[in-house]
Amino acid sequence: MIRILVAEHVPLVRRGLVASLEAELDLVVVADVGSGEDVVPAALTLRPDAAVIDLELPGDGLAVTERLHEKAPACRALILAAQPNPGIVRRAFAAHALGFLSLDVAPEQLAEGLRQVAAGRRAVEPDLAIAALESASNPLTRRELEVLRIAARGARSAEIAAALFLSVGTVRNHFSRIMCKTGARNRLDAVRIASNSGWL
């Protein structure tokens, strides 16, 4: 039997995942949790072979996946995402996930994905894998990303400058370079491009 941990913050979705996985003869759900902070303790106690982790899990699904890999590496992670994009797929694999599927896959696809992950193999939808391979790597510096993250919250240049202890002119220079590197038309477009690419 393949032992599964389900980490999903929406109770109805979590129950649905548990029910569909329990219907498989070779899978058994040994734990289901609704918060990121419960994942590693459950994995250490119950020793599942694989974990299904919601990308939007409180505590950040990707950060939880990384902690799980550090603390309980025998439990392989498969990320589920409602709105996957190539950048997120790349970040998930960088966080040591072995699988990545969208929430709208058929139950049998999820079950097969977990079998693959538990065996130490990758499980990702072909279209997502191709898009992730084709997507550009992040051209932005750490400081440019900091500027863009604060801008994504609606902050103006003066607020960004104050938050990062920079002059307004320096912030404007960062935005010029960001727009040049991303091909964005304006700040909002730069935030959209960076978000869709999984850089933020």
Side-chain angles (χ1 to χ4, degrees), residues 71-199:
K71 304 291 185 184
C75 178
R76 278 80 174 243
L78 184 150
I79 301 280
L80 275 184
Q83 296 179 314
N85 65 54
I88 292 293
V89 176
R90 289 163 60 110
R91 286 175 57 202
F93 289 137
H96 306 287
L98 274 185
F100 194 106
L101 298 172
S102 60
L103 258 175
D104 54 4
V105 297
E108 54 270 21
Q109 285 178 278
L110 174 59
E112 184 54 34
L114 283 166
R115 292 182 188 104
Q116 295 292 325
V117 165
R121 295 189 292 271
R122 291 227 186 262
V124 60
E125 294 166 76
D127 290 347
L128 283 176
I130 291 167
L133 286 170
E134 290 177 345
S135 68
S137 58
N138 182 2
L140 304 177
T141 65
R142 184 179 57 80
R143 179 61 92 185
E144 288 164 355
L145 286 171
E146 288 173 343
V147 167
L148 213 47
R149 281 191 190 102
I150 298 172
R153 299 196 293 261
R156 299 181 179 191
S157 291
E159 295 168 308
I160 296 168
L164 297 176
F165 304 101
L166 301 171
S167 71
V168 174
T170 300
V171 169
R172 288 187 182 131
N173 288 340
H174 280 309
F175 273 118
S176 293
R177 285 192 292 275
I178 288 166
M179 287 186 269
C180 184
K181 289 178 179 180
T182 62
R185 297 182 305 276
N186 52 43
R187 292 181 185 195
L188 197 59
D189 195 33
V191 168
R192 180 191 59 77
I193 289 167
S195 296
N196 289 344
S197 299
W199 303 335

Side-chain angles (χ1 to χ4, degrees), residues 17-104:
L17 287 170
V18 170
S20 75
L21 294 173
E22 288 280 357
E24 300 290 327
L25 296 177
D26 60 335
L27 304 180
V28 58
V29 177
V30 295
D32 64 280
V33 301
S35 170
E37 65 188 23
D38 298 326
V39 171
V40 170
L44 291 172
T45 303
L46 300 165
R47 301 184 182 277
D49 302 300
V52 183
I53 299 176
D54 171 25
L55 181 67
E56 303 298 326
L57 194 69
D60 182 353
L62 295 182
V64 168
T65 299
E66 197 139 28
R67 281 200 307 277
L68 181 66
H69 176 74
E70 289 169 9
K71 304 291 185 184
C75 178
R76 278 80 174 243
L78 184 150
I79 301 280
L80 275 184
Q83 296 179 314
N85 65 54
I88 292 293
V89 176
R90 289 163 60 110
R91 286 175 57 202
F93 289 137
H96 306 287
L98 274 185
F100 194 106
L101 298 172
S102 60
L103 258 175
D104 54 4

